[in-house]
């Protein structure tokens, strides 16, 4: 083989290796916005930039491909209009012109976010309400564009045990880890609750954490503007002094950035932690370890301007009655089932479909009920089997009450109604059975394991 051939083969080999490395890197970062994060930027992200700080990012924020991608996500999530009353549909009707205008304002440094409209939504399974901030559509687009630029920079260093609002992670991953640790003997649990976390994050410290990695002044100004947005509730306007607006597109990322030092402290101390946003548990082998872990968290939160809820934060032995709740589930004595509020929320939803004076046909009612039951079961199908039969019976009672009313009878479906409309009656009409679905899922799991 002559020298030229050897050189040509070497070039081909190097090119092939680079292409393979690029393909593998792109697979590792498949969730990033490709219009922003080129192969060159991803390579720099993995190897590390000088000083760990990123400059010259604003041009990535206002690029039209990035803005288009950000709006596509806003459009998919839909949501209500902000203070300007512009809906997602209205924005989309002049999408390109609106995005070009936004890009121009960002490029010129003239973009200013509007106030956040405050609404109140029901808390899970209760009558209390919590505030929700609703930015305008244009502000949601810009927040999304900023997030798509800076998220990979922080994601690179987030801890493994953090699951909330992160790419390719979710509630079920966190629940699986909790279950795994409990099975490994980590039965002493610090059930932690951060008091009004999103509303109390100290902004100056948060901005310093962002500045540690992002050094583009105009991007930092945008983030500061989002944190300083005013709030409009009916006819009252004010500017919060702390926190990130709940409902803001960028708020979940900022909340993870603020708690990331706690995550790494727990790793350094050898404490098993599972965190989903501001909801986290520490799992230990002994009560002494649990109390020491709680003390470390209390010290850290006090130093960074946060507070553990004194009544809701507690230490429990998960092998004893009482247990603890996490992400909608209740864990106790090696078992798990939906927490009380999760069941209440399902029932509240189903009550809306099954009023006795409901004017829809039974077929339509069952179709509506089935959608809620299937979605609920998909999340809670790992519950203990005794969870499902009582709920099935409650649903059938609601349906029997409707049929009883239509026959001119008063009261709930009971007594002879069980003979008039037996369980098979509803089965034949396609009513989704939680018990049957759970039995089927368990059988499938047994077959797979064998």
């Amino acid at each position: 083989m002559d020298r030229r051939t050897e050189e040509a083969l070497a070039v081909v080999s190097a090119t092939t290796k680079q292409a393979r490395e690029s393909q593998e890197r792109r697979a590792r970062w498949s969730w990033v916005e490709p219009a922003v994060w080129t192969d060159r930027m991803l390579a720099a992200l993995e190897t590390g930039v000088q000083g760990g700080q990123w400059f010259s990012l604003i041009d990535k924020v206002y690029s039209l491909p990035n803005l288009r991608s950000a709006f596509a996500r806003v459009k998919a999530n839909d949501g209500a209009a902000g203070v300007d009353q512009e809906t997602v549909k209205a924005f989309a009707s002049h999408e390109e012109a609106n995005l070009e205008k936004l890009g121009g304002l960002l490029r010129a440094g003239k973009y200013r976010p509007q106030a956040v409209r405050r609404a109140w939504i029901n808390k899970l399974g209760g009558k209390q309400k919590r505030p929700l901030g609703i930015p305008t559509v244009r502000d949601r687009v810009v927040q999304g564009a900023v997030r798509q630029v800076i998220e990979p920079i922080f994601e690179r260093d987030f801890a493994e045990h953090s699951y909330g609002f992160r790419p390719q992670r979710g509630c079920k991953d966190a629940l699986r880890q909790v279950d795994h640790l409990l099975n490994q003997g980590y039965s002493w649990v610090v059930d932690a609750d951060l008091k009004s976390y999103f509303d109390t994050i100290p902004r100056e410290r948060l901005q310093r954490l962002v500045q540690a990695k992002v050094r583009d002044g105009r991007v930092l100004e945008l983030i500061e503007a989002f944190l300083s947005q005013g709030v409009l509730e009916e006819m009252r306007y004010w500017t919060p002094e702390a926190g990130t607006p709940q409902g803001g597109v960028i708020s979940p990322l900022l909340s993870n950035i603020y708690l990331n030092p706690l995550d790494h402290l727990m790793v350094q101390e050898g404490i098993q932690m599972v965190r989903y946003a501001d909801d986290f548990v520490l799992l230990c082998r002994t009560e002494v370890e649990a109390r020491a872990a709680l003390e470390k968290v209390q010290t850290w939160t006090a130093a960074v301007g946060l507070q553990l809820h004194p009544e809701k934060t507690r230490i429990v032995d998960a092998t004893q009655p009482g247990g603890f709740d996490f992400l909608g589930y209740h864990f106790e004595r090696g078992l798990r089932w939906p927490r009380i509020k999760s069941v209440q929320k399902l029932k509240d939803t189903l009550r809306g479909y099954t009023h006795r004076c409901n004017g829809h046909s039974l077929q339509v009612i069952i179709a509506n009920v089935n959608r809620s039951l299937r979605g609920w079961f998909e999340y809670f199908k790992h519950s203990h089997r005794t969870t499902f039969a009582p709920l099935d019976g409650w649903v059938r009672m609601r349906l029997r009450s409707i049929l009883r009313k239509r026959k001119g009878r008063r009261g709930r479906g009971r007594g002879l109604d069980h003979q008039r409309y037996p369980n098979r009656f509803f089965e034949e009409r396609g009513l989704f059975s939680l018990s049957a679905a759970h039995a089927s899922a368990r059988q499938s799991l047994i077959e797979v394991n064998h």
Side-chain angles (χ1 to χ4, degrees), residues 256-327:
N256 274 333
I257 290 172
Y258 201 80
L259 289 178
N260 189 49
L262 174 62
D263 292 338
H264 288 282
L265 174 63
M266 294 297 99
V267 173
Q268 292 167 13
E269 297 290 341
I271 298 170
Q272 297 291 343
M273 180 185 197
V274 180
R275 182 172 70 81
Y276 192 95
D278 60 329
D279 193 1
F280 64 90
V281 288
L282 310 175
L283 297 101
C284 306
R285 292 190 180 276
T286 68
E287 183 178 5
V288 172
E289 290 178 2
R291 294 196 179 282
L294 176 56
E295 185 176 342
K296 293 182 188 301
V297 173
Q298 288 172 327
T299 300
W300 186 87
T301 52
V304 301
L306 300 177
Q307 183 182 355
L308 289 174
H309 199 295
E311 296 175 1
K312 296 182 180 179
T313 299
R314 59 202 184 101
I315 294 175
V316 300
D317 180 358
T319 66
Q320 300 300 313
F324 66 98
D325 295 337
F326 187 62
L327 299 182

Side-chain angles (χ1 to χ4, degrees), residues 174-199:
L175 290 166
R176 274 191 287 268
Q177 180 63 5
V178 168
D179 193 54
H180 170 73
L181 289 169
L182 289 171
N183 290 333
Q184 293 297 310
Y186 292 87
S187 59
W188 282 93
V189 179
V190 179
D191 183 7
D193 185 278
L194 287 169
K195 189 175 181 180
S196 303
Y197 172 61
F198 285 90
D199 293 330

